[in-house]
Amino acid sequence: MALISSILQHVKSHSSSKISTYIQRRLFSNDVRKENIVIVGAGIAGLASALSLQRFGIRSLVLEQAESLRTEGSSITLSKNGWKALDAIGVGDELRSQFLDLQGVVIKSDDGKELNSFGFKDEDKSQELRVVERRVLLETLASKLPPNAISFSSKLSNIETSENGTNTLLQLQDGTRLSAEVVIACDGVWSPTAKWMGFRQPKYAGHIAFRGLGYFPEGQPYEPKVNYTYGRGLRAAFVPASKTKVYWFVMCNSSSPGPRITDPSILRQQAKELVRDWPVADMLNLINLTPDDTLTRNPLYDRWLWPIISPPPFSGRTVLAGDAWHPMTPNMGQGACCALEDSIVLTEKLAEAMKSKHTSVEDAFKAYGSERWKRVFPLTVMANRIGALLQSENTLICSVRNNLLVPKLKPRALTKHTNYEFEQAKRDGH
């Protein structure tokens, strides 16, 4: 019955030639392809995990539901800890050469008054912050993998544990069936794998972010600094990413996520409307200079991994990483960095288990979950609370924020969470 239902569903959404191929595969092939390690999702966590496993001579297959890399969107903030992870998998310097090393921050109120400014390296010379284009990051990671390491148009439709309990059975929407010894699920905020494991759905944080990447073909005019503006229930920032591109965002409050909007003209209009009355002409100019394909509108979600209540990030030999496990709001710029950290910690422990007679894969996943939970749970909660403060509409709270809290802000408050050391590195003494 399930087979007939699957065929009928496919018939509704595909051409006759594709339908014929699909029916032949479903009716006349009972083959289950065996794979050692399958990674679900070719995003940051998925590609970094595949590349990290490659360091240990371990091959993996990456399944991506889209027809190509999902490079839409603008940019990602990567701090010192993110760069440490990229260095570990051998792509740090290649990416550094393309993006500016940001030197500091300037924070203003929505009336144009400067509230604070300082250099990121004033208290710690090792700090590093750059804004990286999502497209460039994904393409760089993918380029280091062997041909056919990524299987595109491979959407997961079902996941279950094999009868013997050792393997995970994956069924794709096109009828392909895989039996994997290990599954690393990096399938994003709305991860079907996390849902299968019993995780609750991420919760809407009450804020919406408009983002884009302003393009200056003759060269952008700004110093390499983060430029914040805080208002009531509204904030914005722009950050030079490279010699010709400037990342920007506008964040507003909304009682609901609202409908999904992809029309660039509507996105541009809505973003401009939010900051039209601010004495920050740069924002309007940047929005006008933003190519359509980098304009996005994203409701913000997170999931708090409460101890005892939340399931572990693994079930048998299937494990979660990145947003699939711990989606967080971007208020500390740590979403991508934590996904990269996950990939390093997880793959190091997995590689050790696969080459050891004394440690099982399940033990490796348990150790990974224990180490990473202590890191990501506090960051998720802190990012959410910082967002609530910065997006407050309360006049008194905004006054305290702008006149007491922000003027006293020191570099360490913005950078101390980036001083992360991998436990493996601690044990190795470097």
Side-chain angles (χ1 to χ4, degrees), residues 106 108-114 212-216 219-223 225-229 236-240 245-250 268 271-272 274-290 295:
V106 178
K108 296 181 179 181
S109 59
D110 57 0
D111 60 3
K113 176 185 176 182
E114 183 173 313
L213 196 62
Y215 178 53
F216 295 77
Q220 54 87 5
Y222 302 107
E223 294 182 15
K225 294 181 179 180
V226 180
N227 300 272
Y228 283 119
T229 301
F238 65 90
V239 191
K245 296 178 181 179
V246 178
Y247 166 66
W248 60 266
F249 73 77
V250 178
R268 195 185 310 275
K272 288 169 63 175
L274 288 169
V275 296
R276 190 174 299 279
D277 296 329
W278 282 13
V280 188
D282 300 278
M283 286 302 304
L284 291 175
N285 187 44
L286 284 170
I287 296 170
N288 285 329
L289 293 173
T290 298
L295 279 167

Side-chain angles (χ1 to χ4, degrees), residues 399-418:
S399 178
V400 171
R401 179 195 67 195
N402 290 359
N403 296 301
L404 293 177
L405 299 180
V406 173
K408 293 182 178 180
L409 199 62
K410 301 296 182 183
R412 191 171 300 279
L414 294 184
T415 61
K416 62 182 179 181
H417 58 274
T418 70

Side-chain angles (χ1 to χ4, degrees), residues 161-174:
T161 305
S162 63
E163 291 182 3
N164 60 18
T166 58
N167 285 17
T168 301
L169 301 177
L170 305 172
Q171 181 156 323
L172 307 185
Q173 203 169 62
D174 68 356

Side-chain angles (χ1 to χ4, degrees), residues 247-324:
Y247 166 66
W248 60 266
F249 73 77
V250 178
M251 200 169 295
C252 64
N253 294 343
S254 177
S255 58
S256 69
R260 184 169 182 264
I261 301 173
T262 57
D263 185 328
S265 63
I266 296 177
L267 295 176
R268 195 185 310 275
Q269 178 185 352
Q270 290 184 349
K272 288 169 63 175
E273 197 61 38
L274 288 169
V275 296
R276 190 174 299 279
D277 296 329
W278 282 13
V280 188
D282 300 278
M283 286 302 304
L284 291 175
N285 187 44
L286 284 170
I287 296 170
N288 285 329
L289 293 173
T290 298
D292 289 351
D293 61 350
T294 70
L295 279 167
T296 60
R297 173 191 181 276
N298 302 112
L300 305 184
Y301 295 86
D302 63 11
R303 179 194 289 128
W304 293 17
L305 301 172
W306 292 109
I308 303 176
I309 299 174
S310 295
F314 63 94
S315 177
R317 291 187 160 206
T318 298
V319 65
L320 301 173
D323 285 345

